[in-house]
Amino acid sequence: MSNLMHVSSSKKDTHTVSHIPAPIELAKKHVLHTAIRPDIVMARGEGMMLYDTEGNSYLDFIGGWAVNSLGHSPAVLQEALAEQASKLVHASPAFFNEPQIQFAELLTSISGMDKVFFTSTGAEANESAVKLARKHGALNLNGAYEIITLTNSFHGRTLAMMSATGKAQWKPLFAPKVDGFVHVPINDLDACFAAVTNQTCAIMVELVQGEGGVHPVSEAYLYGLRKICDMYGILLIFDEIQTGLGRTGKMFAYQHYGIEPDIMTLGKGIGGGFPLSAMLTKEQYDLFQHGDQGGTYIGQPLAMAAGLAVLRELIRLDVAEQARKQGQYLKDGLQGLSASLPIANVRGLGLLLAFDVPDAPALVEKCREKGLLVNAPNAHTIRLMPALIVQKSHIDAMLDILKEALAS
């Protein structure tokens, strides 16, 4: 651990009870294996920093996979949760509640959409978008149900969203897959046009493929998709689970292009760490009938209060402009390192950035040992998704550690 990033705890408890297994042993014994995790137990977080149970500190440039938009444990989120928990945690999705109404009004007013359906995870929001598109197909397109998505895309881990996702390594998993998804290459308008049939009801795209390595769609491509959808009466769905709410330097990534979707999904940073997501659409696509869609925790008061507080703070801090400025500063710093170190193809928008290295997992481990957290979505890519409150001092510290790790 570097002296720069190491912050010791105020006092470590030296008392141990021999018959109690270590936390890591307990975790490996009782937590189902779904990921390769280091032998670290995170204890608390504040701002840009995470702290483990051993008192080590980490500068966090993963940001909970773009979730911690306001940093770790922001005061506005703590206060909103405490206040709402003292009043009403959960009633039922059969009733409206006050923070739900306020949150829906604010979110639709800034997004260009008219109606919102609240969920808990990005996969649920995307499932809702698929259901709404298929409802449109059933009502208006003679039963069309197919949805075109992109290769190397990522839309979630439910069975249907794994089918929608364009990751080649997922094709054999959990077969048979859900029918009705057609994959085409990113930025290949001819391939998309050729894939449209009388069974197509929607096209769903990430404006920046995050899990796929941080690859934005081109303006010409997105313009072409909008024309195809308008021509055939099919819906254009923007998966902004990772890119929405300031991450790319605009409040929504579609604003970089000036092309609006018919449906948009949001997640990750919308709750600032609280499990929350949303599917938004235009008035004319308010098509669900009673019982078509729902869920136990839809619009739960506690989640609504969290989302409302986070969104108000994101707007107050103008995080989109913050992401634009700090993202450019970070990108410039990375490009500077590439002149003498094995970094290539620095890319991305705002504070969703990536670059290529010879061995990304090894670099992740070296950085973590030095007190820096970064993400490797594949063998040769490092992805950066810091909190939108990141400052130049954090970026300078990150670049110093990265330089040291690369040089070693």
Side-chain angles (χ1 to χ4, degrees), residues 122-374:
E124 287 179 278
N126 284 335
E127 288 254 2
S128 302
V130 166
K131 288 179 180 179
L132 187 56
R134 287 187 171 183
K135 184 77 175 187
H136 168 66
L139 293 175
N140 303 316
L141 297 173
N142 299 311
Y145 69 96
E146 289 185 346
I147 295 176
I148 297 171
T149 65
L150 306 185
T151 54
N152 295 318
S153 62
F154 182 85
H155 299 293
R157 295 181 183 274
T158 63
L159 191 57
M161 289 306 98
M162 289 186 76
S163 304
T165 290
K167 298 177 76 168
Q169 62 269 38
W170 277 10
K171 285 185 179 180
L173 283 177
F174 312 125
K177 285 293 199 301
V178 175
D179 188 26
F181 297 98
V182 179
H183 303 102
V184 297
I186 188 173
N187 291 326
D188 187 337
L189 193 60
D190 290 339
C192 187
F193 190 82
V196 175
T197 71
N198 61 3
Q199 291 301 309
T200 306
C201 66
I203 300 171
M204 182 163 69
V205 298
E206 300 165 278
L207 300 187
V208 181
Q209 290 188 337
E211 188 75 10
V214 187
H215 299 287
V217 299
S218 72
E219 185 173 348
Y221 177 71
L222 202 61
Y223 177 77
L225 294 186
R226 182 71 270 177
K227 288 193 69 175
I228 290 172
C229 289
D230 292 343
M231 184 184 307
Y232 292 102
I234 61 182
L235 302 186
L236 184 57
I237 304 170
F238 289 169
D239 176 345
E240 291 227 32
I241 300 295
Q242 189 166 144
T243 58
L245 298 168
R247 172 63 52 183
T248 67
K250 297 282 189 181
M251 187 56 79
F252 304 96
Y254 81 77
Q255 293 169 334
H256 288 283
Y257 302 90
I259 298 166
E260 289 192 357
D262 301 305
I263 301 173
M264 178 171 65
T265 57
L266 301 172
K268 296 192 181 293
I270 192 174
F274 194 92
L276 180 62
S277 61
M279 188 266 302
L280 300 100
T281 191
K282 301 285 191 176
E283 175 73 34
Q284 62 264 41
Y285 302 115
D286 184 2
L287 304 175
F288 286 141
Q289 297 297 308
H290 172 70
D292 282 355
Q293 180 63 320
T296 303
Y297 296 105
I298 300 307
Q300 181 214 44
L302 193 63
M304 298 296 92
L308 179 60
V310 168
L311 182 56
R312 284 173 171 170
E313 187 72 353
L314 292 173
I315 294 170
R316 187 186 73 82
L317 294 177
D318 194 7
V319 293
E321 178 62 13
Q322 161 81 358
R324 185 192 68 79
K325 289 181 178 178
Q326 303 296 5
Q328 188 60 54
Y329 184 76
L330 176 54
K331 184 182 283 189
D332 291 343
L334 292 169
Q335 289 172 335
L337 292 183
S338 69
S340 57
L341 294 167
I343 288 178
N345 193 20
V346 178
R347 59 191 180 274
L349 293 173
L351 287 170
L352 177 56
L353 300 176
F355 55 90
D356 296 332
V357 293
D359 188 342
L363 183 58
V364 166
E365 186 172 350
K366 286 182 180 180
C367 287
R368 186 177 64 250
E369 291 171 353
K370 297 176 184 295
L372 171 66
L373 303 179
V374 295

Side-chain angles (χ1 to χ4, degrees), residues 7-74:
V7 178
S8 61
S9 60
S10 57
K11 184 178 181 179
K12 292 186 180 180
D13 185 1
T14 58
H15 178 70
T16 59
V17 181
S18 60
H19 68 273
I20 299 178
I24 292 296
E25 294 175 14
L26 284 171
K28 291 180 178 179
K29 182 178 181 180
H30 298 294
V31 177
L32 187 70
H33 174 75
T34 58
I36 298 173
R37 297 181 175 98
D39 289 349
I40 296 171
V41 178
M42 293 302 182
R44 64 184 181 90
E46 182 178 354
M48 288 293 297
M49 304 301 296
L50 270 174
Y51 303 89
D52 67 22
T53 52
E54 299 301 311
N56 299 312
S57 63
Y58 304 87
L59 178 60
D60 186 5
F61 268 65
I62 299 175
W65 280 345
V67 164
N68 300 313
S69 50
L70 293 173
H72 291 284
S73 301

